[in-house]
Amino acid sequence: MRIRHSVDHTSGHRSYRAVTGLGSRQLLCLATLSLVSLFMTDRPLRSQQATPAPTQGPPISVHVKVVNVLATVRDKKGGIVRNLTQDDFELKEDDRAQTIRYFAHETDLPLTLGLLVDTSLSQRRVLGEERDASATFLDQVLRVDKDQAFIIHFDRDVELLQDLTSSRQKLQAALNLLQTPNRSNQDPSGSPDSGQYPQGGSGGGPGGHSHGGWGGGGTTLYDSIYLASNEITAKQSGRKALIVLSDGVDHGSKKTLASAIEAAQRADTLVYSILFADEEGYGGGGGGGGYGHHGMGGGVWGGGMGGGHHGGGYPRPQEARPDGKKILQRLSKETGGRYFEASKKHPVDETFSQIQEELRSQYSLGYTPEPPDTGTGYHKITLTTKKTDLIVQARDGYYSGQ
């Protein structure tokens, strides 16, 4: 046992000294430093393993409000100007200069188009011309699988004959349903505008919808614009426009002219109006009954707005006929569209060609209001060019909030 211990101890001692070349005191210090180093190295590793990684919170969503403006620019001769750049425009909101952040010469965005046709008795002599020109226009302007259109007629009621579609066949079928009310089906009041359509009036047409209880009188122009904007175009993106074919005389709408304009502005929808004024349609030889002869009745669209009017004392010759031209001009000007008059000198198919050219030659501008708008209400937009000899056609303003 001793020999083994002595040999082991000596051998071990020699071996150790041969490797380190250090004395016992130095060896003790080295061992202590090694332990401290190992301990310090191990601490962060253990701490890292014990502390869970911080969890990533939900992404912060920042809502940036962008106001979009579609504009058409013309020279003094009425020709469309197509070569302007972003730097050529100046834009103000409520008289405060704004920075145009988005700009494009828009020719390719999807188009949502609504055709609103006045089918009251005052239009019966021009309805065929309107129908034929509308069919040609829709066939030329709509691009398959990209653009959509819908058709509404209005007289004593507002009716959606064809909902949004890109099918030319469905749109043509709806146009074929455009007829003035059948005077043989008058109500007991003798109102000439209370007749029914041969197809059933509120049946909705091919692909269309009918909605009970809107209420309306002889020519519900304002209701038709309000409903088309609020229930259809407001839910669409891209370029949106309504084309109204009417004499501009409203009688029986639940909505006002101001509310119809507001609905179009909120929906970013341009209103193009085409005046068809057939004077013979208002009494005096035409046999159609004047403005004071419009009947009252129930409605077809937008239930819950109340029942129809009930009047008496027809005819009412003391009632002056509104100026339909001024009404249509205001509709178009305040929404950024354009007003036209159809006549023998300027047939409706020529007017449709001008509208088509304009829809394909618009500038699209976008800006973020500065300072940011925190409330609700109407804001006036003023869009001009630095070239003073050019005329800019754009909407007058927009409504913020609800």
Side-chain angles (χ1 to χ4, degrees):
M1 293 288 294
R2 286 184 192 173
I3 296 173
R4 185 178 299 169
H5 176 75
S6 176
V7 171
D8 288 346
H9 176 76
T10 303
S11 174
H13 180 68
R14 287 177 179 174
S15 174
Y16 185 80
R17 288 178 66 92
V19 173
T20 63
L22 298 175
S24 59
R25 183 175 294 181
Q26 292 171 313
L27 176 62
L28 179 61
C29 293
L30 182 61
T32 303
L33 290 172
S34 299
L35 289 172
V36 172
S37 176
L38 180 60
F39 175 73
M40 293 182 67
T41 305
D42 190 48
R43 285 190 65 183
L45 291 174
R46 291 180 179 178
S47 175
Q48 186 176 3
Q49 293 171 356
T51 304
T55 57
Q56 187 176 6
I60 299 175
S61 177
V62 179
H63 176 69
V64 178
K65 177 180 180 180
V66 177
V67 179
N68 297 302
V69 182
L70 287 174
T72 302
V73 182
R74 288 186 171 79
D75 57 27
K76 289 185 176 180
K77 296 182 179 180
I80 293 180
V81 180
R82 298 179 174 87
N83 60 350
L84 299 180
T85 67
Q86 178 174 337
D87 294 335
D88 292 319
F89 289 91
E90 293 181 335
L91 190 148
K92 293 182 179 180
E93 177 181 307
D94 297 332
D95 293 326
R96 294 190 296 267
Q98 303 292 322
T99 301
I100 299 172
R101 301 185 182 278
Y102 311 96
F103 179 85
H105 191 186
E106 208 54 76
T107 58
D108 199 45
L109 274 180
L111 173 65
T112 298
L113 191 65
L115 193 66
L116 279 57
V117 184
D118 183 348
T119 52
S120 63
L121 283 175
S122 63
Q123 297 295 100
R124 69 191 184 281
R125 292 165 56 91
V126 296
L127 193 57
E129 182 183 359
E130 294 175 357
R131 185 192 301 113
D132 295 342
S134 297
T136 301
F137 170 72
L138 292 176
D139 187 61
Q140 292 176 349
V141 75
L142 293 183
R143 296 164 297 177
V144 178
D145 299 329
K146 190 159 193 176
D147 301 328
Q148 294 187 96
F150 62 95
I151 297 175
I152 286 175
H153 85 86
F154 60 94
D155 40 55
R156 60 189 286 271
D157 299 320
V158 179
E159 182 180 6
L160 180 63
L161 291 177
Q162 175 58 56
D163 206 344
L164 280 172
T165 182
S166 58
S167 168
R168 290 181 172 85
Q169 291 77 16
K170 290 181 179 180
L171 292 168
Q172 182 60 60
L175 288 173
N176 292 337
L177 294 177
L178 291 173
Q179 300 181 49
T180 54
N182 186 349
R183 288 187 294 169
S184 63
N185 296 327
Q186 296 183 1
D187 65 12
S189 68
S191 164
D193 272 356
S194 61
Q196 300 298 316
Y197 279 76
Q199 289 81 6
S202 60
H209 302 287
S210 59
H211 304 263
W214 175 264
T219 313
T220 50
L221 169 63
Y222 307 154
D223 286 354
S224 68
I225 295 171
Y226 178 89
L227 288 162
S229 301
N230 195 53
E231 295 193 14
I232 301 180
T233 61
K235 301 172 184 177
Q236 306 301 313
S237 58
R239 294 175 301 144
K240 297 171 282 187
L242 301 179
I243 299 179
V244 179
L245 296 88
S246 176
D247 57 14
V249 178
D250 183 283
H251 191 66
S253 282
K254 298 296 184 182
K255 295 295 181 179
T256 64
L257 173 59
S259 62
I261 293 173
E262 178 180 343
Q265 289 175 332
R266 286 185 181 276
D268 293 338
T269 301
L270 310 177
V271 178
Y272 290 89
S273 54
I274 304 176
L275 175 68
F276 279 87
D278 180 17
E279 296 301 328
E280 294 187 26
Y282 290 94
Y291 169 72
H293 292 73
H294 281 295
M296 304 294 185
V300 208
W301 196 344
M305 295 299 294
H309 301 280
H310 298 281
Y314 293 97
R316 296 179 291 179
Q318 75 277 9
E319 219 177 293
R321 177 174 174 239
D323 190 336
K325 177 178 179 178
K326 289 183 178 179
I327 291 171
L328 294 178
Q329 285 176 332
R330 181 182 171 189
L331 274 168
S332 294
K333 180 181 182 299
E334 295 189 22
T335 60
R338 192 179 174 196
Y339 166 81
F340 299 88
E341 289 185 26
S343 64
K344 291 182 179 179
K345 186 177 180 180
H346 300 287
V348 65
D349 54 352
E350 177 183 301
T351 297
F352 274 131
S353 295
Q354 294 180 51
I355 295 175
Q356 178 182 356
E357 180 186 21
E358 185 168 309
L359 290 173
R360 301 299 183 203
S361 308
Q362 294 171 318
Y363 296 95
S364 177
L365 303 93
Y367 70 98
T368 301
E370 301 172 358
D373 176 39
T374 57
T376 60
Y378 182 77
H379 300 277
K380 182 174 178 58
I381 295 175
T382 305
L383 182 64
T384 57
T385 66
K386 297 176 183 178
K387 301 179 181 180
T388 56
D389 58 338
L390 300 181
I391 302 170
V392 179
Q393 173 190 315
R395 59 174 169 161
D396 286 351
Y398 73 96
Y399 285 87
S400 61
Q402 299 298 320

